[in-house]
Amino acid sequence: MRSVLPPGIARRLWQIMAAVGVIATVLYVLFPSTSTGDTAFALLAVTVMAACVVGPLRWNAEPPSAWRSMAAAAITFMIGVLIRPTVSEMAMPWPLLADLASFSGYLLLAAFVLILLQRRGSLDRHALLDGLTVCLSAGVASALLLALPAAEVPGRPVLLSVIQGMYPLVDVMVVLLMVNLTFTARHWPVSLIALIMMMVGIFAGDLAYAIEGVDGNVYASPLLNVPFMLAYTALGVAALHPSVVDMGRAAKPPAQAWSWPRLSLLLPALAVPFALLPTPVSESTTGRALIAVAGALSVALLLIRAVSAVRAQVAAQLRSEHQATHDPLTGLPNRQSMSSEVARLVTVADPEGHDRVWVYMLDLDGFKWVNDSWGHDTGDQLVIEVGRRLRAAVPMNIPVARVGGDEFLLGFIGEKGGALRLVDDIRGCFARPFPVRDHDVVISASIGISHAEADPVNAAVTAEALMRDADTAMYRAKAEGPGRSTIFDTSMHAQVRERIELEVALRQALADEQLYVAYQPLVRLETGVPLGAEALVRWVHPERGPIPPMTFIPIAEDAGLINAIGTWVRKEALRQLGVWRSEGTVTDDFYLSINVSPRQLSDPELPLIVSGEMLRYGVPPQCVALEMTESVMVDGSSVTSRVLFELRELGVKLLVDDFGTGFSALGYLRRFPVTGVKIDRSFVTGLGVNHEDDEIVRAVVAMSHALGLSVIAEGVETPLQREALWAVGVVNGQGWLWGAAVPAAEFAERWRDAIVRAPHLPAILSDPSGRHRRPH
């Protein structure tokens, strides 16, 4: 609930409450035993009750039930204080009404502190033991000095004497709870300090009444209520101060140490029972018994606290050791622990037997897509579930560890047949989808395997070599495709070095502008005239020469460079199209097709960035097509979906690249605002030769026409393929039949005349629906 007051005034209500409390207290002192004084007390109590409701709601303090309990306590305390002067002069049982109201207030106050402690997670046994020690001493002192004398007052009903003697003990119990609250606080905000002052006020008022009770007086003077009014004021300040939100927040310190501030409270408390021995209160049998019991309990509590502290220290050390050797997310051993475990396997394996030590390195295929599409929380849940399945699938004597973000390591001693069977067990973990946050995620793992003979002398070195070689084999397995497994051989070291060198060179190429954009025409099958072009990145290494995209693009994806490369290609392609349009090299309806990665499409700012780039280079949206893979639609998060719809609202075309090779589904094409598909070259290759390929392409064309989507065939290399595509209804194509991708200057020189002087084409080219039908 938000206050209608201006924020500045709302934040100062606690100061206004403090001023009101001081004024009410002064009026009560100046006009005791009068309607003015009683009215001031009642109005202060009602104001504090309202503050206990309004303040926590205003600042969204949790839990509200605690403060409702405190508001009720404020009212019952007020009733007890105001009726006590009247009922104390009446015959029994009327004096008990004031005590009933007061004890109800104590119960509600205790409930308030207990709810806060539970909310804060602060019911710590160490703080509880220390609080018991303090309160035990305070309890025995109050019992001997106040409660027993009050209970033994002659000429007063026994029940009333017992009740009067219980007030100091009740105070001690509430103090116990407050001590626990303060002992478990990392810092003391204003609201906590105000609550402590409230408890001091209540304790001071009850102490004054108890001292009077020793002389047989139930009520002596209205001035004894002044501490209660100050307690009310402190409570109102606590409820209205903005720091009230801290009272319900978890604030438990990591360890309950015997600090000097705590010892300054504990040591005197331990000495109290023994300090009472030479006083007159120890002369009676009851007094000596109480002192003896209190002293014994104090020593017992001290011993229990010491033992508890030692056990807590041991537990903390064990937790620290576990955290140092285990993954915090899955609870599995980490790389450090697994290295020692593999070294142990190398030691215990029989050097004379046929068994060898096998190490398996697993890397989850497509894990980055999960993180990019659904977020890192979903990725973490997937990792946890993979670790659980792996641990459940293999025997307990086979160590399983998580050694990286999405990497797992297993160790095994046995012959080759058993090692290969273990691979099947590992793959079985990925046979079923992973239910993660209301999604069924289908994922596989690439497995690299290394093995070696037992070598007890060089166990540590052999273990490191096994883990390194398994990692190398895993990269080879990933290069061969998802879900593959590979056993290490020595030739892989050279390949790993090659990959590392290429990654370093690619980073340097991006910085030194060694990359360039090449353009491949998208043509009309009927005429061979380009309608547009696809912008493709190319790399010419200064020493190695041209590096194929199929070599460096996967490296860029693994190294996290694909986003930077994609952004650079998009900006350069849009700049070039702007130049061509301004020079008259291309017509107004010529468009560029640019690839975008899943990571780029997960950026909510992408539509704004693309819009700004088109405006900067003078390119209209209808002249831009963005190509994405089918995985973007399958794994698309709400962010990706929103980005796609916003891009389409700009007027940009959205094409599905390599259509038919992934998770092709009519539902995805209907759900997302795509405008066209590009049939993968693997289906085009068999056209005119393989009847099945003809039918697949025909079905894709029919489906696309039904949805109003454009169709482009990739990888067209022969006239036979062109004719077959035309026969099944495809009107646009791309491939080596019309030339490879070339630099911008060569593209303009080759195609300028064909583009500008193109013959009139059928109206299908300007059809806003995007449907490509063969004209009749």
Side-chain angles (χ1 to χ4, degrees):
M1 182 184 76
R2 286 294 176 187
S3 172
V4 295
L5 294 174
I9 296 179
R11 299 188 71 88
R12 291 184 173 86
L13 280 178
W14 67 276
Q15 296 173 329
I16 298 173
M17 179 71 246
V20 169
V22 171
I23 293 172
T25 303
V26 170
L27 288 175
Y28 189 80
V29 171
L30 293 177
F31 304 99
S33 301
T34 66
S35 58
T36 301
D38 291 343
T39 301
F41 193 107
L43 288 177
L44 176 61
V46 172
T47 302
V48 171
M49 181 202 70
C52 289
V53 175
V54 175
L57 287 177
R58 171 63 180 82
W59 302 113
N60 293 323
E62 295 290 344
S65 58
W67 292 96
R68 286 195 295 267
S69 176
M70 193 67 245
I75 291 300
T76 56
F77 276 133
M78 177 196 72
I79 295 172
V81 169
L82 291 180
I83 68 173
R84 186 173 298 279
T86 302
V87 299
S88 62
E89 302 297 331
M90 302 172 66
M92 289 289 287
W94 295 108
L96 298 180
L97 290 178
D99 297 312
L100 178 62
S102 298
F103 275 107
S104 299
Y106 277 114
L107 291 176
L108 292 167
L109 173 58
F112 163 75
V113 181
L114 281 172
I115 294 172
L116 284 184
L117 286 171
Q118 184 179 22
R119 178 74 180 187
R120 291 161 61 93
S122 297
L123 290 172
D124 182 87
R125 68 177 185 276
H126 295 150
L128 185 62
L129 289 171
D130 291 345
L132 282 173
T133 302
V134 172
C135 291
L136 180 64
S137 297
V140 69
S142 63
L144 291 175
L145 299 176
L146 301 173
L148 289 179
E152 294 173 355
V153 172
R156 190 166 63 181
V158 176
L159 180 59
L160 187 59
S161 296
V162 171
I163 290 175
Q164 293 300 312
M166 286 179 62
Y167 275 101
L169 300 179
V170 172
D171 280 335
V172 167
M173 296 306 297
V174 177
V175 166
L176 170 63
L177 296 176
M178 288 299 299
V179 166
N180 201 291
L181 190 66
T182 56
F183 275 2
T184 55
R186 292 181 184 271
H187 65 283
W188 285 15
V190 172
S191 290
L192 178 57
I193 295 174
L195 286 178
I196 294 172
M197 294 175 63
M198 174 201 73
M199 197 61 235
V200 170
I202 293 176
F203 190 80
D206 284 345
L207 183 62
Y209 269 100
I211 292 174
E212 287 295 329
V214 172
D215 296 330
N217 300 320
V218 176
Y219 180 79
S221 168
L223 296 180
L224 296 179
N225 295 327
V226 170
F228 295 122
M229 297 192 70
L230 296 177
Y232 270 122
T233 303
L235 175 58
V237 169
L240 293 174
H241 194 273
S243 66
V244 69
V245 296
D246 295 331
M247 299 307 300
R249 290 176 177 169
K252 181 180 176 180
Q256 296 293 321
W258 272 341
S259 59
W260 281 112
R262 181 172 293 197
L263 288 175
S264 65
L265 189 62
L266 287 174
L267 293 178
L270 289 168
V272 164
F274 305 99
L276 292 173
L277 283 173
T279 63
V281 297
S282 64
E283 295 177 356
S284 66
T285 303
T286 303
R288 288 194 297 272
L290 282 176
I291 293 174
V293 171
L297 288 176
S298 297
V299 173
L301 287 173
L302 180 64
L303 292 175
I304 294 172
R305 177 64 166 89
V307 172
S308 179
V310 172
R311 294 180 63 180
Q313 183 66 30
V314 172
Q317 183 175 350
L318 291 175
R319 284 195 302 271
S320 177
E321 292 175 356
H322 186 273
Q323 291 171 357
T325 57
H326 287 74
D327 170 51
L329 187 62
T330 63
L332 296 172
N334 58 15
R335 178 178 289 274
Q336 174 187 348
S337 178
M338 191 61 177
S339 179
S340 301
E341 185 62 21
V342 173
R344 185 190 67 81
L345 295 179
V346 172
T347 302
V348 301
D350 184 3
E352 304 298 329
H354 298 290
D355 291 346
R356 301 175 67 84
V357 178
W358 301 78
V359 171
Y360 306 77
M361 176 69 77
L362 280 68
D363 185 89
L364 304 184
D365 301 318
F367 183 71
K368 289 183 179 179
W369 286 349
V370 175
N371 273 341
D372 293 343
S373 300
W374 286 305
H376 289 277
D377 288 345
T378 301
D380 288 346
Q381 290 299 315
L382 177 60
V383 167
I384 292 171
E385 180 62 19
V386 169
R388 188 192 65 77
R389 287 193 187 181
L390 286 172
R391 183 64 278 173
V394 301
M396 289 303 298
N397 63 333
I398 295 179
V400 180
R402 182 193 179 207
V403 295
D406 61 335
E407 293 180 341
F408 294 85
L409 199 68
L410 289 83
F412 172 71
I413 296 179
E415 40 80 31
K416 185 174 183 179
L420 296 180
R421 285 192 296 273
L422 182 57
V423 173
D424 293 335
D425 293 338
I426 294 172
R427 284 178 174 162
C429 296
F430 301 89
R432 294 176 288 109
F434 291 86
V436 179
R437 295 188 185 276
D438 300 326
H439 299 287
D440 283 341
V441 179
V442 179
I443 199 167
S444 60
S446 298
I447 308 173
I449 308 168
S450 64
H451 56 94
E453 296 179 347
D455 188 1
V457 178
N458 301 303
V461 176
T462 303
E464 286 300 317
L466 280 168
M467 295 171 65
R468 182 189 65 239
D469 294 345
D471 193 57
T472 301
M474 180 269 293
Y475 278 108
R476 165 65 74 85
K478 288 188 76 70
E480 294 176 355
R484 304 296 293 272
S485 61
T486 300
I487 299 178
F488 174 82
D489 65 60
T490 54
S491 65
M492 294 181 183
H493 280 310
Q495 296 170 356
V496 171
R497 284 196 300 270
E498 172 78 4
R499 185 192 179 283
I500 294 174
E501 291 173 1
L502 278 177
E503 180 182 330
V504 174
L506 181 57
R507 293 182 183 275
Q508 192 65 36
L510 191 59
D512 295 347
E513 299 182 353
Q514 296 175 14
L515 305 177
Y516 72 93
V517 179
Y519 301 87
Q520 187 174 33
L522 304 170
V523 304
R524 178 79 171 190
L525 295 182
E526 185 179 9
T527 63
V529 175
L531 309 170
E534 181 177 358
L536 300 167
V537 64
R538 295 293 184 262
W539 178 21
V540 178
H541 191 277
E543 298 177 359
R544 303 186 184 199
I547 307 294
M550 66 179 63
T551 298
F552 73 83
I553 291 298
I555 294 176
E557 291 175 344
D558 291 339
L561 296 173
I562 196 65
N563 198 23
I565 292 175
T567 299
W568 178 82
V569 170
R570 186 184 66 245
K571 293 173 67 174
E572 175 60 22
L574 292 175
R575 183 199 65 78
Q576 185 61 64
L577 181 56
V579 172
W580 282 341
R581 288 173 60 87
S582 64
E583 294 176 347
T585 302
V586 298
T587 58
D588 289 342
D589 55 1
F590 183 92
Y591 73 94
L592 269 186
S593 190
I594 306 168
N595 290 282
V596 287
S597 68
R599 186 181 295 273
Q600 288 176 291
L601 289 173
S602 66
D603 181 3
E605 301 297 325
L606 182 63
L608 183 62
I609 294 171
V610 172
S611 177
E613 292 170 351
M614 291 189 298
L615 183 64
R616 175 183 179 185
Y617 298 118
V619 176
Q622 64 269 22
C623 294
V624 178
L626 299 179
E627 295 187 18
M628 58 185 175
T629 60
E630 291 172 282
S631 63
V632 170
M633 295 187 295
V634 176
D635 300 329
S637 65
S638 58
V639 174
T640 301
S641 177
R642 184 169 65 252
V643 167
L644 290 174
F645 276 96
E646 290 179 0
L647 286 170
R648 187 67 192 113
E649 288 175 357
L650 291 176
V652 173
K653 300 180 180 70
L654 297 176
L655 307 179
V656 180
D657 195 15
D658 301 330
F659 188 78
T661 60
F663 303 91
S664 307
L666 180 62
Y668 293 126
L669 295 178
R670 293 180 61 188
R671 190 188 315 163
F672 292 92
V674 298
T675 60
V677 298
K678 299 183 73 174
I679 301 176
D680 186 70
R681 66 180 66 247
S682 62
F683 300 110
V684 175
T685 302
L687 287 176
V689 179
N690 189 322
H691 177 70
E692 292 181 354
D693 286 345
D694 290 352
E695 293 304 316
I696 290 175
V697 174
R698 193 185 308 275
V700 171
V701 172
M703 178 184 68
S704 301
H705 285 174
L707 294 174
L709 304 178
S710 64
V711 180
I712 302 174
E714 297 181 293
V716 183
E717 299 181 356
T718 66
L720 178 62
Q721 292 169 353
R722 181 190 62 187
E723 293 302 322
L725 287 167
W726 181 256
V728 297
V730 179
V731 295
N732 293 334
Q734 173 185 0
W736 279 50
L737 180 61
W738 301 279
V742 295
E746 184 178 344
F747 182 91
E749 181 180 355
R750 178 176 180 182
W751 293 105
R752 178 185 291 109
D753 292 342
I755 295 172
V756 176
R757 300 177 184 177
H760 175 71
L761 296 176
I764 184 64
L765 295 181
S766 59
D767 185 351
S769 71
R771 299 187 182 192
H772 284 212
R773 300 180 187 276
R774 181 176 179 179
H776 298 290

